[in-house]
Structures are given as structure tokens and as C-alpha cells.
Amino acid sequence: MGLSVTADAWSAWPAPAKLNLFLHIVGRRADGYHLLQTVFQLLDWGDAVRLRVREDGAIRRIGSLAGVAPDADLAVRAARALQAAAGTTLGADIAIDKRIPMGGGLGGGSSDAATTLVALDALWRTGLAEDDLAGLGLGLGADVPVFVRGRSAWAEGVGERLTPLDLPERWYVVVDPGATVPTAGLFAAPELTRDAPRLTIPRFLAGEPTNNAFEPVVRGRFPAVAMALDWLGAYGAARLSGSGGCLFVAVDTRETAAGIVDNCPPGLRAHVARGVAESPLLARLDEWRAGVG
């Protein structure tokens, strides 16, 4: 059983970034939503969400988040969704230590929301099942469920149909060119490929070539991203992540990744991250349940 939580006790919970190792658009639903195939690779690097239980039922964000009003913050919305679903009278203060670039395609807002759901379910002792938490997450965004479930996965549908994958352990250099890419504009782009042939998990694991459907669109519209892809491409198969502005390359060792980061040109920010099969959030949850708190 976890430690008792007092009103003045803060606890910290990881909210990892993700990479889309590829992203194909294979069609559209009748309601206009695009049907995707992708692989979510979770990382050992990301944001941290700090939470403090309140007895008065209020949900408050502590601190500011550039360009995001508190009521629009996915973490705040996640807390309110859980509060309503569970019928709890408890509230929470929420503070987020941001490391994941906003609009970068690394899932920062979605991961913050998922961590808020999972952690507050523990702290409030509301006891929802993983499927229920993932369902709440899907109501907030298509990427939230993979972070709730906490396992790198093959994804289909709008990104919510997940199959856990055992991926080879790789190190990644994640590069932020500083470009905030609006997802809605990319989905509306006339040059976007929306009819890619469907891939299967065995063919993906066997090494069949893949791509990111958004990459040519982003290259054409965001010169800073195009330049970063060209620079990183000298070290391997550089690729855009998701529908954002960040990109990555996979390498075999931490030392190789660190060497690339050391050569990062001015104007770019680069990070070393390790791909993980299970989210650090799951380890933190196990730790809390064991009584470490």
C-alpha cells in the first residue's frame, strides 16, 4: 500500500516523451478522422509532473505554461475528467517541469495528461482499471492511451488501438529545431499522402521500408526543420516524429549519441535518450505502491 498523502505533500511523477518510428496515413473514417499506422517508442527522458492532493476538491495548475491557459491544459483537463469519473471529492495542485518541446511531435501534453491520470488515480485511491484510465485519456487526445498503458506499441485507428511491441534497445538523438508545427494545418495539407498501403507488424519488424507521411509537408513549410533533417541525416536515417517539428536518429550506443549531440550546430537543441519497452511511469507507480511514495 502507498504511503498516506497529506495535504502539503508533493510527489513527482515522470511523463516520458515518445517517438513515432514511422507514421503512415492509410485512410479516413466517415467522420473525417485520419486512420494511422505507427509505432510509439517510449523514451527514458521527458517532463516531470508534480502533484499535491487537496482536500477542497479544487484543481489548480501551479505556474504558467507559455501559450496554454490553465483550463486548456491537458493535465488539468485530465484531473477533472478523473475527478468526475471517480466521483471523488479530492482535488489537486499540478505543477509541470517542462522539458519536452511543445508542438514537437514528442507527445509532451499527452504524456503530462496520462501521468496526471495514473498518478492521481493512485494518490486519490480511486482505483480505476487501466482500461478505464485509457478511455478517459482517449477523450483528451489520441496519443494519451499509449502513455497511460506505459508500453512501447504498434498503433492503428486514430492511434488508440495498441499492440505492445518488444523493440530492439536503441539510443536516440532527439533534435529540436525550435519550430512549433500546428498539427491541424498538416492534416489539411493537400499534398499529404492519405492512402499508404497497410503494413503489418511482422513486415515492420522484418525491416520493410517506412516513412513519416508528414515529413515532406513539414520540410516544405518549415525551413528550420528541413535544415535540421539534412544535418542529422549525415549520422543516419533522420526522421520527423509524429506531426511535430522535432526529429531523431537511432544509434547503437550512448557514446555515439553523445558525440552527435556534442556536434550540434547553433540554433538546434539536441538530447540523448534511450528507447524503453516500459515507461518510467510504471516503475514510479510500482515504487509508490510499495510504500516508497
Side-chain angles (χ1 to χ4, degrees):
M1 179 179 296
L3 295 177
S4 62
V5 177
T6 60
D8 60 351
W10 285 93
S11 60
W13 302 78
K18 58 83 177 167
L19 301 174
N20 295 87
L21 299 188
F22 78 93
L23 196 158
H24 294 175
I25 300 175
V26 297
R28 298 179 85 165
R29 299 194 314 198
D31 59 8
Y33 278 90
H34 290 73
L35 297 172
L36 312 176
Q37 288 189 313
T38 190
V39 166
F40 290 116
Q41 169 69 75
L42 300 180
L43 301 178
D44 68 349
W45 168 84
D47 294 343
V49 177
R50 293 183 292 117
L51 298 165
R52 179 170 60 184
V53 173
R54 298 176 61 93
E55 304 288 346
D56 61 3
I59 305 292
R60 296 193 316 166
R61 187 180 76 187
I62 307 300
S64 60
L65 199 58
V68 181
D71 286 346
D73 189 325
L74 279 180
V76 172
R77 292 173 55 200
R80 289 176 176 159
L82 177 61
Q83 190 182 53
T88 182
T89 59
L90 295 173
D93 290 332
I94 304 169
I96 300 175
D97 299 327
K98 287 297 295 181
R99 300 182 187 93
I100 304 172
M102 295 175 63
L106 304 178
S110 295
S111 189
D112 296 342
T115 291
T116 300
L117 286 171
V118 170
L120 284 181
D121 181 61
L123 295 169
W124 287 344
R125 291 179 167 77
T126 42
L128 270 67
E130 182 182 292
D131 286 349
D132 295 327
L133 293 173
L136 289 176
L138 184 58
L140 299 166
D143 286 354
V144 180
V146 73
F147 291 112
V148 169
R149 297 191 184 278
R151 298 162 189 88
S152 290
W154 173 275
E156 297 187 90
V158 296
E160 85 290 4
R161 288 163 42 202
L162 301 169
T163 303
L165 282 186
D166 289 324
L167 299 168
E169 184 169 308
R170 305 295 303 276
W171 290 89
Y172 294 91
V173 177
V174 183
V175 175
D176 174 16
T180 300
V181 176
T183 297
L186 296 187
F187 274 111
E191 67 269 37
L192 182 66
T193 299
R194 297 178 172 85
D195 58 354
R198 288 185 178 271
L199 191 60
T200 64
I201 293 175
R203 283 159 50 202
F204 167 74
L205 293 175
E208 184 164 322
T210 59
N211 59 51
N212 183 324
F214 294 112
E215 190 169 308
V217 182
V218 175
R219 263 191 178 276
R221 298 185 179 194
F222 296 89
V225 177
M227 291 173 59
L229 280 165
D230 290 341
W231 170 73
L232 193 59
Y235 298 98
R239 182 162 289 181
L240 196 74
S241 182
S243 58
C246 289
L247 46 142
F248 66 92
V249 69
V251 296
D252 291 329
T253 68
R254 181 184 182 91
E255 291 73 23
T256 301
I260 297 171
V261 169
D262 287 343
N263 288 324
C264 184
L268 303 180
R269 296 175 60 193
H271 308 275
V272 174
R274 181 171 59 92
V276 293
E278 289 198 349
S279 168
L281 175 61
L282 298 186
R284 178 67 178 95
L285 184 61
D286 287 345
E287 179 185 78
W288 189 89
R289 286 170 171 164
V292 176

